[in-house]
Amino acid sequence: MRAMDTTGVPRRRPTIRDVAAAAGVSRGTVSRVINGGHWVSPEALAAVQEAIRTTGYKTNQHARSLVTGRANSVAFLLTEPQHLLFEDPNFSILLRGAATELAARGMPLLLMVAGSPAEQEQMLGYVGAGHVDGVLLISSHAGSPVLRELVSQDIPTIACGIPLGFESQVGYVAADDLGGARTMTRHLVERGRERIAMITGPMDTPGGRLRLEGYRQELGDRFDESLVVHGDYTRASGTVAMTELLERRPDLDAVFAANDLMAAGAMVVLADAGRSVPGDVAVGGFDDAGVAVTVNPHLTTMRQPFERISAEMVRLLLEVVEGKSSAAVTLPASLVVREST
């Protein structure tokens, strides 16, 4: 329904001419601002942006797409089973951050979940047809056929985490998984723990590999393979891994889980086994997801800067869309000490 003015007459939709008049610039300047702001002075840019706000001007995205040859939208692509979108809190935080960043640029974000081969084939057909300008790839796995196809089709892509096997071809934004794991392991050592176990993430993911490597490096000669069990980042895998660790090494006095969900699962097993946290076993996680403050005791963990990761992914992707070379950004993870250690 069209908006009405105070007399009940339908209000005319603002045009570029109205914005130009309000900003005191030419229509060409307004057009350049709308299409990316190239060759526009900072003063004119600010004046046009303010005029757009005050006039209520809305870009005709269809017309703009015809002129620029772009879809003016970006895909948020999760190559995991659909249920993980709701079970893993990290994905929703990244999604919200990316949507916010793109909304500030007047661009919509398309959520695409493609965990199965059939879903991936459909997604690649859609993306390859030019319906989006680029892809924010979440949860990349080594040997991913999706990533290989995105590269072969020359589709602008930025990965969340190091794109294993494609590091020189695809830009990425990652937390410092290796450094963060070293920090957590060092923290547990400094707490006086001597038999520190680890529940890793999947070995075909950068977080799985690098967090294990950081743990290994920090322990040095004290590293013991019998204290390592692999998980898949789900809470259920944390319970299975913790059960195996207690059977294999009942003398353990700490466990570092490669994400908070697995740490939460491990804490349930420890409680059922009559092991107090942190009295008998200290527990550390990674992410600082919401679950970290819902478990009892609250979880010591490594905080990933998810909002900044989203913002940097959007920035790098739009640079690639504009024709710039891919870039990589690694952000530090910070230790958050709570009652579990």
Side-chain angles (χ1 to χ4, degrees):
M1 179 179 294
R2 293 180 63 185
M4 302 285 183
D5 62 19
T6 55
T7 65
V9 177
R11 186 181 303 153
R12 179 177 62 84
R13 181 174 179 172
T15 65
I16 285 181
R17 186 189 300 274
D18 298 320
V19 175
V25 300
S26 69
R27 282 176 288 172
T29 298
V30 175
S31 179
R32 286 193 293 276
V33 170
I34 292 171
N35 288 292
H38 303 295
W39 310 110
V40 178
S41 70
E43 295 79 10
L45 177 63
V48 171
Q49 290 175 335
E50 175 63 15
I52 289 174
R53 187 187 68 80
T54 57
T55 62
Y57 174 79
K58 302 294 183 184
T59 305
N60 184 327
Q61 299 294 358
H62 177 66
R64 180 178 176 184
S65 295
L66 291 175
V67 172
T68 63
R70 293 179 182 164
N72 196 47
S73 62
V74 166
F76 182 97
L77 174 58
L78 177 63
T79 55
E80 299 285 358
Q82 293 185 11
H83 68 89
L84 291 184
L85 175 63
F86 306 100
E87 292 181 13
D88 191 322
N90 298 345
F91 297 147
S92 60
I93 297 172
L94 290 167
L95 175 62
R96 182 173 67 246
T100 299
E101 287 295 317
L102 286 164
R105 295 166 168 80
M107 297 180 70
L109 180 67
L110 279 66
L111 170 62
M112 306 186 78
V113 182
S116 69
E119 291 170 340
Q120 292 171 5
E121 183 178 356
Q122 290 176 341
M123 175 277 301
L124 288 168
Y126 184 87
V127 170
H131 294 300
V132 296
D133 294 323
V135 172
L136 299 170
L137 180 62
I138 311 301
S139 189
S140 173
H141 294 259
S144 167
V146 169
L147 188 50
R148 186 183 308 112
E149 190 63 23
L150 290 171
V151 170
S152 70
Q153 293 189 39
D154 199 26
I155 295 169
T157 301
I158 295 294
C160 181
I162 299 173
L164 298 174
F166 295 89
E167 296 91 332
S168 63
Q169 298 167 278
V170 176
Y172 63 87
V173 181
D176 183 1
D177 292 308
L178 189 148
R182 294 197 67 158
T183 298
M184 176 57 74
T185 306
R186 187 181 315 122
H187 169 73
L188 293 169
V189 170
E190 290 171 351
R191 282 292 200 263
R193 308 296 168 155
E194 298 179 351
R195 295 168 298 281
I196 303 170
M198 182 172 190
I199 303 173
T200 78
M203 288 296 98
D204 65 345
T205 64
R209 293 184 184 182
L210 292 173
R211 293 172 198 177
L212 173 59
E213 182 58 26
Y215 162 84
R216 184 196 303 268
Q217 287 184 12
E218 190 62 32
L219 289 179
D221 293 340
R222 293 171 294 174
F223 174 77
D224 184 344
E225 191 72 46
S226 71
L227 285 166
V228 176
V229 175
H230 300 298
D232 64 7
Y233 288 142
T234 64
R235 189 190 298 256
S237 76
T239 64
V240 171
M242 193 70 245
T243 300
E244 181 177 342
L245 281 169
L246 287 178
E247 292 174 351
R248 182 193 298 175
R249 291 295 305 269
D251 61 332
L252 64 84
D253 60 5
V255 60
F256 168 30
N259 80 339
D260 293 348
L261 281 177
M262 293 192 298
M267 290 173 73
V268 171
V269 174
L270 289 169
D272 289 345
R275 304 289 187 96
S276 66
V277 176
D280 296 324
V281 180
V283 179
F286 205 108
D287 288 341
D288 198 25
V291 69
V293 292
T294 64
V295 295
N296 184 27
H298 290 178
L299 182 66
T300 293
T301 186
M302 297 303 302
R303 175 178 294 156
Q304 291 201 63
F306 288 114
E307 291 80 5
R308 190 175 173 197
I309 289 172
S310 294
E312 288 294 295
M313 288 183 69
V314 169
R315 180 180 68 83
L316 294 184
L317 180 62
L318 296 183
E319 287 184 355
V320 175
V321 170
E322 291 290 340
K324 295 183 180 179
S325 299
S326 294
V329 174
T330 300
L331 302 171
S334 55
L335 176 65
V336 180
V337 180
R338 297 192 179 99
E339 294 83 6
S340 70
T341 58

